[in-house]
Amino acid sequence: MKKQIYIAALSVGAIALGTNQILAQNSEQVSKSVNIILSDVIAMDIGSVASQGTVDFNYASTADYNSSKNVTVPNSLVIISSKNFDVKVKSEGTHFVSGANVIPVDILQVKAIPGGSLAGTLNEVTLSTTDQVLVSNASLGAKQSLSIAYSISAEKASKVLLGKPQGTYTQKITYTATAL
């Protein structure tokens, strides 16, 4: 009989302790950390006109050689940057080339023009193989577009282009966006 009382007492004690334990766990808090990890980014949209497009200057008549030519490409570059940045431009070589025939790259003026959404100091440069600042201190942001105007003066057309063999003279131009 003592054994039965002892077993009963243990059972009641276990139930009481288990109930207290369950009651003590009606509320529990757990903390978690949530991290937002940022990295500086800067990129030019590879689908933009300047990265895959061609700018053509066509000289087909005497009037063409006696006048300035301008080609404006709206939204030439589309840039995203997490910091303010500069946009630089340069040619990959010293000449526009057609077979063995060449025209110096400094015949071309490149100008950042208003009309896109990019805000910064817009400049005009004479093309060369050296990086030149086309836009300085542009504001950070997403999907900022930059319009670019290309020009060849009438004077350069008549002095440099006139008399060159016919053909398509080509040179690659590289744009670089650099975070400040």
Side-chain angles (χ1 to χ4, degrees):
M1 177 101 160
K2 276 186 178 186
K3 230 180 191 181
Q4 288 177 340
I5 294 174
Y6 180 70
I7 292 174
L10 280 176
S11 297
V12 170
I15 291 172
L17 286 175
T19 304
N20 285 341
Q21 215 172 17
I22 291 172
L23 292 176
Q25 292 183 357
N26 277 343
S27 174
E28 185 174 325
Q29 291 182 338
V30 175
S31 296
K32 294 284 181 186
S33 293
V34 175
N35 299 319
I36 299 174
I37 301 167
L38 302 177
S39 296
D40 290 331
V41 296
I42 190 163
M44 280 189 274
D45 181 2
I46 60 172
S48 64
V49 174
S51 65
Q52 295 185 358
T54 300
V55 176
D56 291 328
F57 286 88
N58 190 9
Y59 289 86
S61 69
T62 56
D64 290 333
Y65 288 96
N66 289 315
S67 61
S68 295
K69 288 209 173 247
N70 301 293
V71 177
T72 299
V73 182
N75 304 317
S76 289
L77 303 173
V78 179
I79 302 168
I80 180 173
S81 181
S82 59
K83 291 185 172 187
N84 286 7
F85 60 96
D86 288 343
V87 176
K88 297 177 182 175
V89 61
K90 71 177 183 176
S91 65
E92 290 186 10
T94 56
H95 294 90
F96 289 92
V97 178
S98 177
N101 304 307
V102 295
I103 298 169
V105 294
D106 66 359
I107 195 168
L108 185 67
Q109 295 292 119
V110 181
K111 182 178 183 180
I113 59 172
S117 58
L118 190 135
T121 303
L122 307 178
N123 301 307
E124 180 175 13
V125 300
T126 300
L127 188 61
S128 75
T129 57
T130 304
D131 269 329
Q132 297 179 77
V133 178
L134 191 61
V135 179
S136 60
N137 198 28
S139 299
L140 63 91
K143 294 185 179 180
Q144 297 185 85
S145 62
L146 174 63
S147 297
I148 299 175
Y150 303 86
S151 63
I152 299 174
S153 70
E155 179 184 1
K156 287 185 178 182
S158 65
K159 289 183 178 180
V160 179
L161 299 180
L162 192 60
K164 292 286 183 185
Q166 75 176 27
T168 300
Y169 292 76
T170 304
Q171 181 53 253
K172 289 191 184 272
I173 297 176
T174 302
Y175 295 91
T176 305
T178 306
L180 300 177

